[in-house]
Amino acid sequence: MTTTAMNPGRLDGRLVLPGEAGYDEARTVWNAMVDRRPRMVVRCASVGDVVAAVRTARELDLELGVRCGGHSALGLAVPDDGLMVDLRPMGGVRVDPVRRRAWVQGGALLGALDREAQRYGLATTAGNVSHTGVGGLTLGGGMGWLARQYGLACDNVASFTMVTADGDVVHASPTENPDLFWGLRGGGGNFGIVTEFEFRLHPVGTRALVAEYTFPLDRALPAFRHWRDLNAEAPRQATFTASLGGDGQVVLGFVWVGDPAEARKLLPAMRGLGRTVATRVHEPSYVELQRQDDTTGRHALRRYSKGHYLRRLPDEAIEAFLLRGSTGSGEGLPNAGLQAYGGAISDVPDDETAFSHRGTVFEFGCGTGWTDPAEDAARKASARRCAAALAPFASGVYVNALSDDGAEGVRRAYSPDKLARLTTLKTAYDPHNVFHLNHNIRPAR
């Protein structure tokens, strides 16, 4: 094996080969089902390292995978016998509180962005789990607790710096390569490796409120209907959520970012949901809110999930959600959840970004985590049944929620017009489909 396009001694980071210290850590991702062995891992510490890695992969005709941070549910970042670009050493965040801007390197996690911005009471939309990668989240759209107030993560990007399939460094903004700027806001990692994001920040303060009302499954339907109707009138600071877990209990509520005193004005209406088995209202800091699902979303579990976008939530959809694809006891069923969209998400004109389905009312997701490989088939089947039960009500899917859906999933994630435009952009920036280990948009032939 040679690495003629890359001199390891000239890297700012490190080239890691099989058998060397750090190799197994570098190839281990969030989903424990992923167990692939790259021929080499380039732990990039600079844009120059990324350029060298891309050119090496091209010269040696190696598959190229990109790890930009946290999860990689399908493990697409880890190419068997290929070259893995590990951006995690490039995890820096720089904040200008006067201009309300954050410059975030491509390997940063959401928690780093949250911590630096919150030093000044600022934030931008940044997911729900702090060990998620900024890059993957943002390039697919980027839902989070601030989205109803300020739009998706991709709506808050002012500029990108990207390394192309030829190893060139380009910038994208409303005035520089505007077509690429359009495509990077929702089109995923199809066009290159983003090494830096410039985000707009917002003065959100440091406080939040979470309200949760728990109902037994046999009393959940009327409460669920009322919760749905309240969501239609909810202030933008509130993101309504619903979840159903392994204990068979339904949790309905909302997350509020901003003054908790204002959030508490919603509580009398929420008490109208009915008699609960448990009620919890608490006031985390914003940073604590961003970490509250870190344990549920922890590493080292085998993972599988499915999802849909919903433009409406009729009673029949609620009933299907509660059944989760089963008429049995509920044992072994996946966790299921709903998160409200609307507000600033739907304010953005549909043709302004590659992200589609801005008319979504709720995002539905179901998923399961386990440790025993013998359970793989049953766990996957249960998630598929759950998703199939909601499919009649679906209007599309979040590209970041795709699993093993293949080309059909990509077609569900984008409107036909947007997919055609993305294909043209892919053909211009990556005609040989070097960046294909993703939810792939193929170039025109």
Side-chain angles (χ1 to χ4, degrees):
M1 181 191 72
T2 63
T3 57
T4 56
M6 177 172 53
N7 183 338
R10 293 185 178 179
L11 288 175
D12 296 304
R14 181 182 167 216
L15 174 65
V16 184
L17 302 176
E20 294 183 348
Y23 175 78
D24 285 330
E25 186 278 332
R27 71 182 185 89
T28 300
V29 292
W30 178 70
N31 188 345
M33 285 199 293
V34 178
D35 184 19
R36 304 194 190 106
R37 303 186 67 85
R39 188 184 302 185
M40 63 183 76
V41 177
V42 184
R43 290 185 49 79
C44 297
S46 65
V47 176
D49 288 356
V50 178
V51 170
V54 170
R55 291 178 175 170
T56 297
R58 298 293 303 275
E59 180 175 315
L60 299 179
D61 195 26
L62 296 176
E63 280 205 308
L64 183 64
V66 183
R67 183 173 188 174
C68 59
H71 288 178
S72 190
L74 285 181
L76 297 173
V78 191
D80 255 334
D81 198 36
L83 188 152
M84 178 177 170
V85 175
D86 186 353
L87 294 178
R88 289 176 299 162
M90 299 174 64
V93 176
R94 177 170 59 88
V95 171
D96 183 335
V98 176
R99 295 179 58 195
R100 293 179 182 168
R101 286 287 193 273
W103 290 266
V104 181
Q105 289 186 302
L109 301 185
L110 299 183
L113 171 57
D114 291 332
R115 288 191 301 272
E116 290 302 309
Q118 277 286 282
R119 291 172 57 195
Y120 310 100
L122 301 172
T124 196
T125 304
N128 299 355
V129 175
S130 74
H131 49 72
T132 305
V134 171
L137 177 93
T138 303
L139 292 173
M143 182 55 181
W145 301 125
L146 288 172
R148 283 174 44 82
Q149 293 186 65
Y150 300 111
L152 300 166
C154 71
D155 298 329
N156 289 282
V157 178
S159 69
F160 301 86
T161 301
M162 188 189 84
V163 175
T164 71
D166 291 329
D168 297 325
V169 180
V170 300
H171 302 279
S173 72
T175 58
E176 189 173 7
N177 297 309
D179 281 352
L180 179 60
F181 184 66
W182 176 88
L184 290 173
R185 290 177 295 157
N190 276 283
F191 311 109
I193 301 175
V194 176
T195 58
E196 186 175 78
F197 300 80
E198 179 189 357
F199 286 100
R200 288 182 289 272
L201 302 176
H202 306 279
V204 303
T206 60
R207 304 171 69 191
L209 181 141
V210 178
E212 299 172 323
Y213 301 82
T214 303
F215 297 86
L217 191 59
D218 60 0
R219 294 209 311 269
L221 183 57
F224 219 129
R225 291 169 177 156
H226 189 46
W227 171 89
R228 171 198 61 197
D229 296 341
L230 289 175
N231 172 74
E233 305 298 327
R236 292 185 174 201
Q237 294 96 321
T239 301
F240 273 47
T241 62
S243 63
L244 175 55
D247 60 4
Q249 294 187 323
V250 179
V251 181
L252 305 172
F254 68 88
V255 171
W256 181 286
V257 178
D259 183 358
E262 291 296 311
R264 289 183 177 275
K265 295 178 182 179
L266 278 179
L267 300 185
M270 297 298 290
R271 286 192 286 270
L273 295 177
R275 182 164 56 91
T276 67
V277 296
T279 298
R280 184 182 186 220
V281 177
H282 62 111
E283 298 183 12
S285 70
Y286 179 74
V287 171
E288 289 168 342
L289 170 67
Q290 290 291 90
R291 294 197 301 246
Q292 72 173 8
D293 292 331
D294 282 7
T295 300
T296 303
R298 68 188 182 275
H299 290 68
L301 293 178
R302 305 174 80 80
R303 298 276 186 178
Y304 190 78
S305 61
K306 305 291 280 187
H308 299 301
Y309 275 150
L310 309 174
R311 282 182 172 265
R312 58 191 184 93
L313 190 68
D315 290 354
E316 296 83 0
I318 295 174
E319 292 167 0
F321 178 91
L322 295 174
L323 288 173
R324 288 180 288 175
S326 173
T327 57
S329 66
E331 184 178 352
L333 294 178
N335 297 328
L338 292 168
Q339 185 169 356
Y341 274 50
I345 302 169
S346 56
D347 286 346
V348 177
D350 185 67
D351 61 357
E352 190 167 304
T353 68
F355 179 84
S356 299
H357 306 296
R358 288 190 180 272
T360 295
V361 175
F362 290 104
E363 181 188 351
F364 161 80
C366 62
T368 179
W370 67 101
T371 58
D372 184 355
E375 299 179 20
D376 287 1
R379 294 281 191 159
K380 290 181 179 181
S382 70
R384 289 170 181 152
R385 287 193 299 269
C386 182
L390 273 292
F393 312 98
S395 57
V397 65
Y398 183 23
V399 69
N400 283 350
L402 290 174
S403 56
D404 52 355
D405 304 86
E408 175 59 28
V410 173
R411 286 191 291 271
R412 291 183 61 220
Y414 302 103
S415 67
D417 287 347
K418 287 191 178 182
L419 189 54
R421 185 174 173 183
L422 286 165
T423 300
T424 299
L425 192 65
K426 176 74 170 181
T427 305
Y429 278 90
D430 186 15
H432 302 293
N433 208 11
V434 172
F435 301 109
H436 67 271
L437 294 179
N438 46 40
H439 298 301
N440 194 230
I441 295 165
R442 298 183 63 84
R445 294 300 183 187

